[in-house]
Structure formats: structure tokens, C-alpha cells
Amino acid sequence: DYDLNTPWRLIASAAVVLNRRVIVSGEYEYVDYPSANVKDTYHGEYDWIRDFFKYNTRAAHNFRVGVEYRANSLFSLRGGYSYNGSPYDKGDWNAENDIQTLSTGLGFNFGSCYVDVAYLYKSATDTDYFYNYVDPNHADNPTYHFSSDKIKTTSRNSELRCSFGVKF
């Protein structure tokens, strides 16, 4: 048995409608990753998870902005950008692992049903080690720390999403 407390979040958002055709929206999110906690009722077997969040993460700042243009009652055009800050603590090899997403899309409203098509382009950088070992018998002696050079990988992917809905 265990109790899980997820990180707390603070979200502020605003939107404005211009000329009944354009919607501009923005959102800021603060996520306090070190506040995550796992407690178990027996032997402390999940303490390492709690300690990981406490000592290896930091609060992240996330931003999202979007624009929608409604050409007519049938057709809408959308675009957006999001930035998700890295939850890893400064000094950690993934401290700069931010994720950025650009999106664009089309919306069709047929009254009782709708179809949305969106394209997303996501980019992130990950820094890691091929191997990283510390001899537990000599943890205080750097001579017994073995690791490869850092490996930096940039990930870019594209997604095409389509959704269909019925109003009833």
C-alpha cells in the first residue's frame, strides 16, 4: 500500500475574442515537481522515489499560446505554440531538456458533428550517458566513478491528429 501525492500546479490563463472571428488565448503553468511524494505503510521501499523528486527535480514553468480564426460558421483555422520547461534540477544532465511544440490545424463544424485535423511538430533535447556507474564500496572516491562522455540527442517528431465529434 502507498499514498501518492502528485506535484501541485498553479495555472493562470486568459483569452480574448476579437471581431467575433479571432480567439487569442494564453496560459502559464507552474508545476512544483519537488512537492511530489510517495509514502508506504510498511518498510520504506518507496523512499527512493520520494528522494528522487526531492533532490533531482525543480519547479517547471510551462507556457501555451494559441490563435483561432473562424472564417465562417463551417471553417476554422488554428495555430499554437507550447513550451514545457525541464523538471530536472540545475546541474543535472537533463536540466535543459525543454520541450517545444508548434501546431496548426483546421476545424469543420457541420452543426450536429465536427471534424478537427491538426499537425504538431515537437522538438526536445535529451542529454544522457551511455553508461554511468559508481562503485558502492567507494562512492566517495571519484577514482571509482566510471561514465561515458555525455550523449546529446535531439528528438523531433511530427504528428497528424484527426478527431470527430457528435453533438447531442
Side-chain angles (χ1 to χ4, degrees), residues 56-72:
N56 297 299
T57 63
R58 64 179 172 184
H61 304 276
N62 304 327
F63 304 92
R64 291 177 277 280
V65 294
V67 176
E68 177 176 327
Y69 172 70
R70 181 170 290 173
N72 54 44

Side-chain angles (χ1 to χ4, degrees), residues 35-55:
S35 70
N37 196 4
V38 177
K39 295 178 190 174
D40 64 68
T41 56
Y42 297 108
H43 309 291
E45 66 182 297
Y46 297 113
D47 289 351
W48 67 274
I49 297 173
R50 182 199 61 231
D51 290 345
F52 173 82
F53 280 102
K54 184 176 180 181
Y55 298 113

Side-chain angles (χ1 to χ4, degrees), residues 101-120:
T101 305
L102 289 170
S103 62
T104 187
L106 305 171
F108 300 94
N109 183 349
F110 301 107
S112 61
C113 64
Y114 63 89
V115 176
D116 289 314
V117 178
Y119 169 77
L120 289 84

Side-chain angles (χ1 to χ4, degrees), residues 69-81:
Y69 172 70
R70 181 170 290 173
N72 54 44
S73 63
L74 175 68
F75 176 72
S76 296
L77 181 64
R78 302 180 183 107
Y81 170 79

